[in-house]
Amino acid sequence: MTLKFRSFCKHYLTLTIGLTLMGMAVALSKLAGLGTSPISSIPNVVSLITPLTIGQMTMVFMLVLISAEILFLRRQFSPWAWLQLIPSVIFGVLIDYFTSWLSWIPMNNYAAKLIATFVSIFLLAWGVYFEVNSRTILMAGEGLSSAVAIALHIAFPRAKVWCDATMVIVAVIIALIWLHGLVGVREGTILSALITGRLVSLFTDKMPNFTHWLHTK
């Protein structure tokens, strides 16, 4: 086995682990019912008012995000960016799989739902950590934030906050109009927005050797 092939396997295995953890996290937060992460908030709400599952809606939403990248980047948009659809489809499939697989977990009271929400945030942070450090294909959410940063000449973290906030606001508007309340966008969404990034930074800071190993070819 050549060094190049082993490097390829390592990086895409890292991406697969990240997508799996993220899919599990979104599914668990969906089942808890206290709101998903910002990027899953729109698919979650729309899945409640259409025949589409949250996983299927996630695939459609990722296509919308890539289209938004084109609007921001115009001639700077690379056709290679369409490869973002590959992990997006896998992510959507995993969400639906884990939503079904984890449906046995009892969510009979608010305490159980809150615990499940915190577990989902922890899993999501690990998933993002592996996905980002895989150094392979960007997910459409990060791709859009990157496009916004480039188009508006701002730092990526700032663009990421703007994109996440916009997604939550849109999800709230959809929920209020069609579901007549904050259904699908609740305290779990806010907790995810506040905690996930900090946990990813913590994992990165506390495991520099492992992070470096993930990066190296």
Side-chain angles (χ1 to χ4, degrees):
M1 185 183 295
T2 66
L3 182 62
K4 185 175 181 179
F5 181 73
R6 282 186 293 178
S7 175
F8 176 89
C9 292
K10 180 181 74 172
H11 287 284
Y12 279 90
L13 177 60
T14 301
L15 175 63
T16 302
I17 293 172
L19 291 174
T20 302
L21 290 172
M22 291 164 63
M24 187 182 296
V26 173
L28 189 58
S29 62
K30 166 75 173 177
L31 293 169
L34 298 184
T36 62
S37 62
I39 195 169
S40 296
S41 57
I42 293 177
N44 185 36
V45 172
V46 176
S47 72
L48 298 174
I49 57 179
T50 68
L52 295 177
T53 64
I54 183 173
Q56 293 167 341
M57 193 59 227
T58 295
M59 298 179 207
V60 174
F61 184 58
M62 293 299 178
L63 180 60
V64 172
L65 294 185
I66 296 173
S67 300
E69 289 180 43
I70 298 175
L71 294 177
F72 277 104
L73 294 177
R74 299 181 182 275
R75 293 183 179 180
Q76 291 180 279
F77 180 82
S78 170
W80 288 103
W82 286 109
L83 289 175
Q84 295 171 64
L85 284 175
I86 297 174
S88 298
V89 170
I90 296 172
F91 183 44
V93 171
L94 287 170
I95 291 173
D96 281 347
Y97 171 75
F98 283 117
T99 300
S100 175
W101 187 63
L102 297 173
S103 59
W104 61 270
I105 298 177
M107 303 282 184
N108 301 323
N109 53 64
Y110 185 79
K113 293 179 180 181
L114 191 60
I115 291 172
T117 298
F118 276 112
V119 172
S120 75
I121 293 172
F122 184 76
L123 290 173
L124 180 64
W126 271 115
V128 172
Y129 168 82
F130 279 104
E131 181 245 326
V132 170
N133 287 298
S134 70
R135 298 291 180 93
T136 52
I137 305 173
L138 277 179
M139 290 286 286
E142 284 72 33
L144 177 60
S145 299
S146 179
V148 171
I150 292 170
L152 302 182
H153 306 290
I154 60 176
F156 176 83
R158 187 179 180 186
K160 178 65 174 172
V161 171
W162 286 6
C163 290
D164 285 353
T166 300
M167 291 175 194
V168 172
I169 292 170
V170 171
V172 167
I173 293 172
I174 295 172
L176 290 175
I177 293 175
W178 276 279
L179 298 172
H180 310 293
L182 293 178
V183 181
V185 188
R186 292 181 50 183
E187 56 269 42
T189 305
I190 298 173
L191 289 170
S192 180
L194 294 175
I195 298 174
T196 304
R198 289 177 170 82
L199 282 177
V200 174
S201 296
L202 178 65
F203 299 155
T204 303
D205 292 340
K206 295 298 182 181
M207 300 186 299
N209 292 334
F210 183 61
T211 303
H212 176 72
W213 178 78
L214 290 176
H215 289 178
T216 55
K217 296 182 179 182

